């Protein structure tokens, strides 16, 4: 049944958005909890990795993933050029790794020197040690969307590296900060 009255906030954006509208969109869209992961790739014998919270399962048959990457970032260009990537879903205890790879100005050389990882069996891309789950992906399409690239790919390998525990929690991003699921 339709309710009477207006919504608290209703804005129709003009063609040119203001910084205030961008900030409000960022604030409101942060009201959705999302899992935190690390996307990685290897290109010309160099590892690239970054923290992401914009990824999704597109299809179960065939297994297909999508990740959204800032188009001007090193990781986006490396993922596009390499043609494959790994996505490691983080536990709440891996907040330090997430922070490190989300920090601007990370070094190009030795980016993963302080993070434990193994090479994925299918692609050789870095899989973060202790990840709840990992997926190795071959890129099938790249779509430009505003300031980002939407990278879609078929899962060619998957597994887990974290021993199961009833107290284990995924690392979540909610309201501008990292959170965990309370047991």
């Amino acid at each position: 049944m339709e309710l009477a009255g207006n919504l608290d906030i209703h804005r129709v954006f003009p063609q040119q958005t203001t910084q205030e509208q961008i900030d409000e969109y960022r604030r409101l869209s942060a009201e959705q909890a999302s899992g935190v992961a690390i996307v990685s790739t290897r290109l010309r014998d160099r590892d690239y990795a970054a923290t992401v919270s914009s990824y999704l399962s597109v299809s179960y048959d065939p297994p297909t993933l999508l990740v959204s990457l800032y188009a001007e970032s090193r990781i986006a260009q490396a993922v596009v050029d390499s043609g494959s990537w790994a996505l490691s879903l983080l536990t709440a205890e891996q907040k330090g790794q997430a922070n490190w790879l989300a920090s601007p100005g990370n070094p190009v050389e030795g980016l993963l020197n302080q993070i434990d990882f193994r090479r994925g069996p299918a692609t050789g891309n870095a899989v973060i040690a202790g990840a709840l789950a990992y997926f190795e992906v071959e890129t099938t399409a790249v779509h430009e969307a505003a300031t980002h690239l939407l990278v879609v790919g078929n899962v060619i390998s998957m597994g887990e590296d974290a021993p199961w525990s009833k107290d284990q929690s995924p690392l979540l991003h909610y309201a501008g900060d990292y959170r965990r699921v309370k047991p």
Side-chain angles (χ1 to χ4, degrees):
M1 163 171 60
E2 183 174 344
L3 301 176
N6 294 326
L7 292 171
D8 288 338
I9 297 175
H10 178 76
R11 294 190 178 138
V12 177
F13 291 103
Q15 290 297 94
Q16 187 69 21
T17 54
T18 66
Q19 186 60 49
E20 179 183 345
Q21 290 167 325
I22 292 169
D23 292 344
E24 183 69 357
Y25 176 78
R26 181 178 286 129
R27 184 186 71 78
L28 290 172
S29 64
E31 293 301 321
Q32 173 182 314
S34 57
V36 179
I38 291 176
V39 63
S40 65
T41 194
R42 188 159 177 83
L43 181 64
R44 292 186 277 284
D45 294 324
R46 179 179 288 158
D47 289 304
Y48 295 83
T51 303
V52 296
S53 59
S54 295
Y55 61 88
L56 64 96
S57 172
V58 175
S59 172
Y60 295 129
D61 185 17
T64 306
L65 285 172
L66 175 150
V67 66
S68 176
L69 302 170
Y70 180 60
E72 300 298 318
S73 66
R74 293 185 302 222
I75 188 67
Q77 293 309 305
V79 163
V80 169
D81 292 347
S82 73
S84 70
W85 41 285
L87 188 73
S88 300
L89 307 184
L90 302 182
T91 68
E93 288 71 32
Q94 293 175 307
K95 181 178 173 181
Q97 290 97 322
N99 279 333
W100 168 247
L101 292 173
S103 301
N106 281 333
V108 174
E109 295 294 331
L111 178 65
L112 295 177
N113 285 354
Q114 60 183 324
I115 295 178
D116 293 335
F117 68 94
R118 294 181 179 83
R119 295 281 170 203
T123 64
N125 293 321
V127 172
I128 305 307
L132 288 171
Y134 74 86
F135 305 91
E136 290 185 278
V137 182
E138 283 186 347
T139 301
T140 57
V142 178
H143 304 279
E144 292 183 24
T147 59
H148 283 63
L149 297 179
L150 304 178
V151 183
V152 181
N154 291 332
V155 175
I156 58 171
S157 167
M158 60 187 169
E160 55 196 350
D161 195 47
W164 186 87
S165 164
K166 66 180 178 98
D167 297 324
Q168 192 170 50
S169 171
L171 184 60
L172 301 176
H173 191 262
Y174 174 71
D177 203 359
Y178 293 125
R179 312 281 184 190
R180 67 183 304 131
V181 176
K182 292 184 179 180

